[in-house]
């Protein structure tokens, strides 16, 4: 019997799980980050980042193809040995924990600024943990279904944002490549964090029902994410002037603040309230695979004990210390550096040893 049969994902759930994990804080900040380095040529930097993420994603799926019924947590001991494998599992769990914590505190910071300015951060994050627990206790299948549900619930967002086209100035996008290629290449480094989430191919592959569609699925997920970012970037670049956009911390939210209807004035509040669901699809997979890895490390089949512990520690940590805006920026930088290692460097370094170990195992059987 296959180990992960009960929690199998459909191809659509696999795509939307990875896509949901990618579309998070980056949608709110990426227009400013790219404009600071490449001005309105930042959309070209996004294409470079998408290409890099897609190529590494294909390496991940090819790597996992060698062990189709195992996650990266099961593979580490096979290629590194018992003790080094346990160290690698612990590091992977820590990486997911850091990513989840960064996402939670940043989402809490946005809520405190835009919605609940008088509510303590630990109260806000505690309210996050309650529904998160009910989703995560159901395992990967529940996460996939939740990602699919949130995707359908947020399909109205791109249609509403098109109403801002009446006030955009498309000449802001010209001329193209006005400062050369160097700023564009520099800005492409900012897209590393925006595409993080494709590394869930490490974990989601053995849960996928039709594994032959894994490469196509992860490419579609990356492309869908790129299209979301591209639409937001183009509208923000055309709506704000090249100098004005760099003055906003979250230019996407400022854009939504300018959208009004006769029957609804504060559309940005409606958007932000809905966007909390999108942020949850980013944080939830990191939380799950953090406790999934730690449970495997300690030989526990049930991940819910570690899940309860993690969800309790986050609000307790925020009760003792509420991070400042500078701390939030530093936390994102730490996550981006860790993401370069675990999402981009690890598959490139591990692909060769995994292929060799698989060939050696095949030779021994023969």
């Amino acid at each position: 019997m296959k180990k992960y049969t009960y929690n199998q994902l459909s191809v659509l759930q696999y795509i939307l799980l990875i896509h949901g994990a990618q579309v998070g804080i980056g949608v709110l900040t990426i227009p400013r980050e790219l404009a600071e380095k490449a001005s309105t040529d930042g959309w070209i930097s996004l294409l470079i980042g998408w290409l890099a993420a897609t190529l590494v994603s294909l390496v991940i799926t090819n790597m996992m193809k060698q062990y189709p019924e195992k996650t990266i947590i099961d593979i580490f001991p096979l290629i590194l040995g018992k003790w080094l494998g346990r160290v690698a599992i612990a590091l992977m769990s820590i990486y997911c924990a850091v990513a989840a914590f960064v996402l939670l505190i940043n989402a809490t910071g946005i809520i405190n600024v835009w919605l609940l300015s008088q509510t303590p951060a630990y109260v806000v994050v505690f309210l996050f943990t309650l529904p998160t627990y009910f989703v995560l206790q159901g395992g990967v299948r529940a996460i996939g279904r939740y990602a699919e549900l949130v995707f359908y619930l947020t399909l109205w967002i791109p249609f509403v944002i098109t109403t801002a086209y009446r006030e955009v100035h498309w000449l802001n996008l010209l001329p193209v490549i006005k400062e050369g290629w160097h700023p564009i290449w520099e800005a492409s480094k900012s897209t590393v964090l925006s595409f993080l989430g494709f590394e869930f191919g490490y974990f989601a592959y053995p849960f996928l029902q039709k594994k032959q569609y894994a490469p196509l699925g992860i490419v579609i997920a990356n492309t869908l994410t790129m299209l979301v970012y591209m639409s937001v970037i183009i509208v923000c670049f055309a709506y704000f002037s090249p100098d004005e956009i760099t003055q906003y911390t979250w230019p996407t939210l400022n854009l939504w603040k300018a959208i009004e209807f006769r029957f609804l004035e504060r559309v940005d509040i409606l958007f932000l309230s809905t966007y909390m669901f999108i942020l949850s699809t980013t944080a939830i997979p990191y939380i799950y695979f953090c406790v999934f890895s730690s449970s495997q490390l300690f030989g526990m089949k049930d991940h819910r004990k570690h899940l309860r512990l993690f969800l309790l520690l986050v609000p307790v940590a925020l009760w003792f210390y509420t991070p400042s805006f500078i701390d939030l920026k530093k936390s994102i930088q730490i996550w981006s550096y860790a993401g370069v290692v675990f999402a981009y460097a690890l598959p490139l370094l591990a692909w060769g040893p995994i292929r060799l170990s698989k060939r050696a195992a095949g030779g021994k059987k023969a």
Side-chain angles (χ1 to χ4, degrees):
M1 181 178 177
K2 295 180 180 178
K3 185 177 180 181
Y4 301 113
T5 300
Y6 177 73
N7 271 316
Q8 284 189 335
L9 297 168
S10 67
V11 177
L12 180 60
Q13 291 170 350
Y14 171 80
I15 292 171
L16 295 180
L17 186 150
I18 295 174
H19 167 65
Q22 292 176 316
V23 180
I25 301 295
V27 171
L28 307 180
T29 61
I30 195 171
R32 171 184 53 81
E33 293 172 351
L34 294 180
E36 287 175 343
K37 297 179 180 179
S39 187
T40 53
D41 290 328
W43 63 272
I44 304 177
S45 304
L46 180 70
L47 292 177
I48 297 174
W50 165 78
L51 180 61
T54 300
L55 292 176
V56 177
S57 299
L58 292 175
V59 173
I60 289 176
T61 55
N62 186 274
M63 181 176 73
M64 300 306 298
K65 184 180 178 181
Q66 311 305 316
Y67 296 92
E69 305 304 328
K70 299 181 183 297
T71 68
I72 192 68
I73 301 304
D74 301 313
I75 295 174
F76 275 144
L78 298 178
I79 62 175
L80 297 177
K82 180 179 178 180
W83 296 109
L84 282 179
R86 291 175 68 86
V87 171
I89 294 172
L91 291 176
M92 181 64 76
S93 180
I94 292 172
Y95 164 70
C96 291
V98 169
F101 184 74
V102 169
L103 287 163
L104 287 174
I105 62 174
N106 276 273
T108 302
I110 294 171
I111 292 175
N112 282 144
V113 171
W114 286 81
L115 294 177
L116 305 174
S117 58
Q118 302 300 320
T119 306
Y122 66 88
V123 174
V124 175
V125 79
F126 178 73
L127 295 176
F128 262 118
T129 61
L130 293 177
T132 298
Y133 177 76
F134 290 113
V135 174
L136 288 178
Q137 68 175 351
V140 173
R141 177 182 289 182
I143 298 173
R145 289 176 175 175
Y146 179 73
E148 188 176 0
L149 174 64
V150 171
F151 177 77
Y152 293 137
L153 290 176
T154 55
L155 284 177
W156 62 270
I157 292 178
F159 295 101
V160 175
I161 203 172
T162 56
T163 60
Y165 289 172
R166 295 172 295 184
E167 300 181 34
V168 300
H169 304 281
W170 298 110
L171 291 178
N172 286 342
L173 301 174
L174 300 176
V176 180
I177 317 180
K178 51 182 168 291
E179 296 179 7
W181 282 96
H182 180 72
I184 294 174
W185 286 106
E186 285 296 314
S188 64
K189 298 176 184 177
S190 301
T191 62
V192 169
L193 178 63
S194 301
F195 282 100
L196 287 181
F198 65 84
E199 69 270 24
F200 285 125
Y202 292 137
F203 298 97
Y205 188 91
F207 296 96
L208 183 60
Q209 289 177 344
K210 300 179 180 180
K211 295 179 174 55
Q212 67 270 26
Y213 295 112
L216 177 61
I218 206 165
V219 170
I220 293 175
N222 282 317
T223 304
L224 192 58
T225 301
M226 184 270 292
L227 292 175
V228 171
Y229 286 141
M230 185 66 74
S231 61
V232 171
I233 289 170
I234 294 297
V235 174
C236 286
F237 284 177
Y239 185 86
F240 302 105
S241 68
D243 295 326
E244 182 185 6
I245 193 173
T246 59
Q247 300 174 10
Y248 299 114
T249 304
W250 301 296
T252 307
L253 289 178
N254 292 93
L255 173 67
W256 275 89
K257 194 173 183 179
I259 299 175
E260 293 182 359
F261 297 102
R262 292 182 179 179
F263 57 89
L264 183 63
E265 185 176 351
R266 294 297 304 274
V267 183
D268 58 312
I269 300 299
L270 177 62
F271 165 73
L272 189 55
S273 301
T274 306
Y275 200 74
M276 291 300 104
F277 289 98
I278 299 177
L279 290 176
S280 69
T281 62
T282 306
I284 281 177
Y286 281 108
I287 296 173
Y288 177 78
F289 289 117
C290 166
V291 298
F292 175 83
S293 302
S294 62
S295 300
Q296 295 284 328
L297 182 64
F298 290 98
M300 300 172 61
K301 294 183 178 180
D302 190 355
H303 66 280
R304 286 177 291 184
K305 291 183 178 179
H306 286 203
L307 175 61
R308 288 190 287 266
L309 179 62
F310 180 89
L311 294 179
L312 178 64
L313 287 176
V314 175
V316 169
L318 292 179
W319 183 46
F320 285 104
Y321 177 70
T322 301
S324 64
F325 182 73
I326 296 177
D327 294 332
L328 294 179
K329 292 185 68 175
K330 288 182 179 178
S331 68
I332 291 178
Q333 289 178 347
I334 292 172
W335 178 28
S336 63
Y337 293 146
V340 170
V341 175
F342 286 92
Y344 288 86
L346 178 60
L348 299 178
L349 294 174
W351 181 75
I354 287 178
R355 289 292 298 270
L356 292 174
S357 65
K358 189 65 176 179
R359 287 185 179 181
K364 290 180 180 179
K365 289 181 180 179

